[in-house]
Amino acid sequence: MEHFVTMKEKSAAEILQLVKRANEISQKGVNPLKGQIFAANLFFEPSTRTKTSFVVAERKLGIEPLEFMADHSSVTKGESIYDTAKTFEAIGANLIVVRHQEENIANQLAESLSIPVINAGDGTGEHPTQCLLDLVTIYQEYQKFKGLKVVIAGDIKHSRVARSNAIALSTLGCEVYLTGKEEWHDDSLAFSYVSMDEAIEIADVMMLLRIQHERHQQRTSMQQEGYLEKYGLTVEREAKMKKHAIILHPAPVNRGVEIDTNLVECERSRIFKQMKNGVVARMAVMETLLTKGGNFNEEDFNKRQAFIG
Ligand code: CP
């Protein structure tokens, strides 16, 4: 693994190795990496969780985050994202983390730079580190993926979280279902759609999505439309979920829209645990890229797993 920009074309073993490493870091901690290492966190879209957890993960690994604020950078003078990233590489960054409104930007940078690139969210494309922290949270709950029924619910069409998760969960052997308003269905994801009332009865994991208002042509009032009652997780629906089922949401949460505000911190909710896992998931990714980047050997990993059992 030289970059971490997509969950496509990643084997189950490769994903599992990262999940298990993140889980191990959460239990045992980690020794900081040796040497002076710099990371450029290039965020061109707003972020609270992803940006902050990358900075915390970097500091815990002994990596120094380099200051960058798009509004105060030479981007305001017309510098391209490519030249911005190349500049950080030239100055000495060992790693680029990028969030941008344009789909595929992280892939393009990965092709052009000689340092690892991590996609921290590209438009409606992918959000692979969010996906990894979601997987870590599911793994901590069930210690397996195969056969779990996961429903991804909400604004599927505009959600990079939905895309990365649908790909990775299916690679890991989960049964993936989708639910949401018909106009937000996405035919590029080949999974079955169910109604929210069917979803709550089948889900081991109910993965809610934020409505991506900033990617819609028109902003509509979801409260006026009765979105929660038609498509969201109400208290009445939560009561019908399987006893062991958990609720995930990448956040920020639109309380009272995707989910009843009283459920955000209910017993089944793992929403704040997801945020906590964001740090270890990102540590696992950066550690892997900076230490064992190109050395992942699926055969060795499978042999070791068979031995551990
Ligand atoms: N889940 C997520 O990506 O949150 P932020 O936009 O706050 O980083």
Side-chain angles (χ1 to χ4, degrees), residues 205-222:
V205 177
M206 173 61 74
M207 183 180 285
L208 303 170
L209 302 170
R210 181 176 71 84
I211 296 174
Q212 306 272 305
H213 287 293
E214 71 276 25
R215 303 189 207 286
H216 295 178
Q217 305 225 312
Q218 266 187 322
R219 186 169 177 132
T220 40
S221 162
M222 291 298 147

Side-chain angles (χ1 to χ4, degrees), residues 4-280:
F4 195 69
V5 295
T6 175
M7 297 310 287
K8 283 182 208 137
E9 291 154 23
K10 286 210 169 15
S11 68
E14 204 173 354
I15 300 170
L16 269 177
Q17 188 180 46
L18 286 170
V19 170
K20 290 186 180 183
R21 181 62 189 139
N23 192 42
E24 192 175 55
I25 293 172
S26 77
Q27 289 166 350
K28 298 184 188 161
V30 71
N31 291 324
L33 301 172
K34 291 195 176 75
Q36 195 171 33
I37 308 172
F38 297 104
N41 301 314
L42 308 183
F43 279 68
F44 294 85
E45 268 193 339
S47 168
T48 298
R49 276 145 289 271
T50 312
K51 188 172 178 186
T52 311
S53 58
F54 263 110
V55 171
V56 172
E58 284 154 10
R59 295 224 159 106
K60 286 191 172 192
L61 282 173
I63 301 170
E64 198 167 325
L66 299 172
E67 177 92 356
F68 175 78
M69 285 189 288
D71 289 353
H72 293 81
S73 74
S74 289
V75 169
T76 58
K77 300 178 219 163
E79 187 161 51
S80 69
I81 175 155
Y82 170 76
D83 284 333
T84 303
K86 279 297 274 186
T87 300
F88 273 96
E89 183 184 33
I91 288 171
N94 301 94
L95 181 80
I96 298 272
V97 178
V98 62
R99 167 171 289 193
H100 199 271
Q101 54 280 13
E102 199 181 311
E103 206 173 310
N104 226 21
I105 205 93
N107 263 310
Q108 289 168 24
L109 290 180
E111 281 167 18
S112 325
L113 299 181
S114 54
I115 53 176
V117 175
I118 301 176
N119 180 2
D122 62 331
T124 57
E126 283 208 48
H127 195 349
T129 61
Q130 174 70 45
C131 168
L132 186 64
L133 73 87
D134 294 339
L135 298 178
V136 173
T137 311
I138 295 171
Y139 182 75
Q140 287 173 346
E141 207 65 39
Y142 293 106
Q143 290 81 48
K144 65 167 191 174
F145 292 98
K146 214 172 171 59
L148 287 180
K149 294 183 171 67
V150 183
V151 178
I152 305 178
D155 187 359
I156 310 280
K157 188 174 175 179
H158 303 100
S159 173
R160 52 199 181 200
V161 177
R163 219 164 312 288
S164 287
N165 268 299
I167 296 164
L169 288 164
S170 122
T171 303
L172 291 170
C174 294
E175 278 182 42
V176 178
Y177 299 88
L178 307 174
T179 183
K181 269 174 92 162
E182 213 169 319
E183 64 182 277
W184 296 341
H185 288 193
D186 184 343
D187 296 336
S188 72
L189 293 173
F191 301 97
S192 304
Y193 279 89
V194 293
S195 69
M196 192 55 164
D197 289 313
E198 288 166 322
I200 49 158
E201 294 193 0
I202 58 177
D204 298 306
V205 177
M206 173 61 74
M207 183 180 285
L208 303 170
L209 302 170
R210 181 176 71 84
I211 296 174
Q212 306 272 305
H213 287 293
E214 71 276 25
R215 303 189 207 286
H216 295 178
Q217 305 225 312
Q218 266 187 322
R219 186 169 177 132
T220 40
S221 162
M222 291 298 147
Q223 270 97 353
Q224 274 174 19
E225 212 184 78
Y227 182 89
L228 177 67
E229 292 71 23
K230 284 189 207 155
Y231 306 104
L233 191 60
T234 57
V235 170
E236 293 72 28
R237 288 194 176 113
E238 185 272 338
K240 292 183 191 158
M241 287 174 71
K242 290 181 188 170
K243 203 161 173 260
H244 62 265
I246 58 167
I247 299 166
L248 303 184
H249 190 306
V253 177
N254 291 305
R255 284 179 180 251
V257 178
E258 297 112 19
I259 180 170
D260 188 292
T261 191
N262 293 315
L263 298 177
V264 174
E265 291 166 71
C266 73
E267 211 178 312
R268 299 179 188 280
S269 168
R270 300 292 179 270
I271 297 174
F272 288 91
K273 193 173 185 195
Q274 285 172 273
M275 295 177 205
K276 188 173 176 198
N277 283 335
V279 175
V280 290

